[in-house]
Amino acid sequence: MNETLEAISTKREKAIVKTSVIGIVTNVFLAGFKATVGIIANSIAVTLDAVNNLSDALSSVVTIIGAKLGAKQPNKKHPLGYGRIEYLSSMIVAAIVLYAGITSAVESVKKIISPETADYSTISLVIISVAIVVKLVLGQYVKRQGKKHNSGALVASGSDALFDAVLSTSVLASAIVYLLWNVSLEAYVGVIISVFIIKAGIGMMIETVNDILGKRSEKKETDRIKALICEEPEVRGAYDLLLFNYGPDKNYASVHMELPDTMTVEDVDALTRRVQAKVYTETGVILTGIGVYSYNTSDSETAKMRNTIMETVMAHNWALQMHGFYADTEKKFIRFDVVVSFDIERAEALDILQKEVGALYPDYRLMIVPDIDA
């Protein structure tokens, strides 16, 4: 299992580095051409577009560093690896984009206050046009590679490149407007470019912060894992699935399986190992912990109790699911879990359920666990 993970990690790292190097080389050439055109034509919009290309190249450098550090193997100090470093590199990329946008805005406003006349040549317009096409191709390629290898930094860089193509098109349009009607929109286009760059930087930063803080797992992914577990004939249900992310493509999880109370420890051990292997093979997610709920198989009275309690619990709109029910009629003990929405405090929900179920079965001790809606 570990060898497979290492192979996947190495392949992913090489792909990210290769894509980023292509981005660096392309952006450096574009920046050089645009800077030359901007200086010769005295165009603030073209010059700022060149600066934006340089920031993209720097972003690619940061992405490479993040991928290299994130691919380091686990050790005693960091037993789950260094994958989350990539989120830090994504944050740095976002900061670079944000800084480029703010700097561009300042320079554009200066040009509005103290305008200068631009002077476009045919070669300038050709270079800008070629740059638009190159950015479109580069953006599609980088974004596609980012999605393929689950790299947030690459996806952000690809999206930024596609956006640059749109912005460069606006620069070309302003140049054509100037040549046709002698109306200079240079500085104003620069401001618009800056606003969009700043917005993109803030969006990238928010997305990265969400990754670092932890966010709700994709329902499609959790449903798939639960379905794989429930394929086993002994499993009546899979609950409390929590995914723990330690970097792109480095996901661990814990889950509870509902099993008949007739299974032995040996049976459960064999089942959990089988489930772990299946889930990892099919999804790449490592189940680090599997808990067990037992359900009654020999007492018809408990089935009636379960139905009665479920009706009481699910009558509340904040109760999303009830599971893990087990009743011991001899020891007078009932236990079950309830998934509680964020519309109510868990302590308040627990208090309500304790009173209502306690009123139904006053002779029983209750153990009700309010689970979060994860």
Side-chain angles (χ1 to χ4, degrees):
M1 183 179 292
N2 289 333
E3 291 182 359
T4 305
L5 280 173
E6 290 176 13
I8 293 173
S9 179
T10 301
K11 182 179 178 181
R12 178 178 178 276
E13 177 201 344
K14 289 180 178 179
I16 291 174
V17 171
K18 176 185 174 182
T19 304
S20 298
V21 168
I22 292 174
I24 291 171
V25 173
T26 304
N27 278 305
V28 167
F29 273 111
L30 287 177
F33 281 122
K34 288 181 182 179
T36 302
V37 171
I39 293 171
I40 294 175
N42 193 28
S43 168
I44 180 63
V46 176
T47 303
L48 291 179
D49 215 9
V51 172
N52 192 33
N53 282 129
L54 282 179
S55 72
D56 290 345
L58 181 58
S59 297
S60 296
V61 172
V62 174
T63 300
I64 290 175
I65 295 173
K68 287 286 187 182
L69 294 177
K72 287 179 62 177
Q73 294 304 308
N75 53 37
K76 188 175 182 179
K77 190 173 182 180
H78 298 284
L80 293 176
Y82 292 79
R84 286 180 174 171
I85 286 179
E86 286 199 40
Y87 296 145
L88 297 179
S89 67
S90 295
M91 182 68 78
I92 295 173
V93 169
I96 292 172
V97 173
L98 192 59
Y99 175 77
I102 293 173
T103 303
S104 298
V106 171
E107 293 301 319
S108 296
V109 170
K110 286 181 180 178
K111 287 291 183 179
I112 291 176
I113 297 173
S114 303
E116 295 180 9
T117 303
D119 182 21
Y120 293 105
S121 62
T122 303
I123 189 64
S124 299
L125 300 181
V126 171
I127 290 176
I128 295 174
S129 301
V130 171
I132 292 171
V133 176
V134 171
K135 270 293 187 177
L136 283 173
V137 175
L138 178 66
Q140 290 284 4
Y141 171 73
V142 173
K143 192 171 183 178
R144 186 167 58 249
Q145 291 298 309
K147 289 182 177 179
K148 180 179 179 181
H149 300 286
N150 192 21
S151 170
L154 280 185
V155 171
S157 296
S159 299
D160 192 36
L162 291 172
F163 192 62
D164 288 347
V166 176
L167 297 180
S168 295
T169 302
S170 67
V171 173
L172 179 62
S174 67
I176 294 173
V177 168
Y178 178 76
L179 293 173
L180 293 177
W181 296 287
N182 200 32
V183 176
S184 180
L185 301 175
E186 280 286 314
Y188 299 97
V189 170
V191 170
I192 294 172
I193 290 174
S194 303
V195 170
F196 281 105
I197 293 174
I198 291 171
K199 183 181 178 182
I202 293 174
M204 292 164 60
M205 194 165 287
I206 291 174
E207 180 65 25
T208 306
V209 168
N210 287 335
D211 285 328
I212 294 173
L213 291 177
K215 56 186 179 181
R216 180 181 293 276
S217 303
E218 293 290 336
K219 188 175 186 301
K220 183 179 179 181
E221 183 178 17
T222 57
D223 285 348
R224 185 185 179 198
I225 294 173
K226 289 179 181 178
L228 287 170
I229 295 173
C230 290
E231 286 177 355
E232 299 296 324
E234 305 94 334
V235 180
R236 188 166 77 170
Y239 308 100
D240 308 329
L241 176 62
L242 291 175
L243 292 176
F244 309 97
N245 179 264
Y246 283 87
D249 293 333
K250 295 181 180 178
N251 293 310
Y252 300 83
S254 63
V255 70
H256 277 84
M257 299 186 300
E258 193 167 28
L259 306 175
D261 58 4
T262 54
M263 290 185 70
T264 66
V265 174
E266 182 180 355
D267 294 334
V268 174
D269 180 44
L271 173 63
T272 55
R273 291 174 185 274
R274 193 162 64 246
V275 165
Q276 284 176 319
K278 180 197 290 187
V279 170
Y280 175 72
T281 301
E282 295 292 330
T283 68
V285 174
I286 300 175
L287 288 175
T288 56
I290 300 180
V292 173
Y293 293 131
S294 63
Y295 65 86
N296 305 91
T297 58
S298 59
D299 190 350
S300 59
E301 182 183 347
T302 58
K304 296 178 182 179
M305 295 173 66
R306 183 179 186 276
N307 292 336
T308 300
I309 292 175
M310 179 170 284
E311 286 182 11
T312 302
V313 171
M314 299 308 292
H316 299 286
N317 56 12
W318 41 260
L320 305 179
Q321 183 189 77
M322 183 183 118
H323 58 260
F325 180 87
Y326 191 86
D328 190 325
T329 54
E330 291 184 4
K331 296 181 179 179
K332 300 294 183 181
F333 180 71
I334 297 173
R335 64 175 182 261
F336 60 89
D337 290 15
V338 179
V339 178
V340 178
S341 76
F342 290 101
D343 296 329
I344 187 173
E345 292 291 334
R346 293 169 70 197
E348 182 184 351
L350 179 59
D351 185 57
I352 293 172
L353 295 177
Q354 287 279 5
K355 290 178 180 177
E356 292 181 350
V357 178
L360 292 172
Y361 300 97
D363 297 334
Y364 280 77
R365 291 182 295 115
L366 301 177
M367 181 180 178
I368 306 174
V369 177
D371 291 338
I372 61 172
D373 177 23

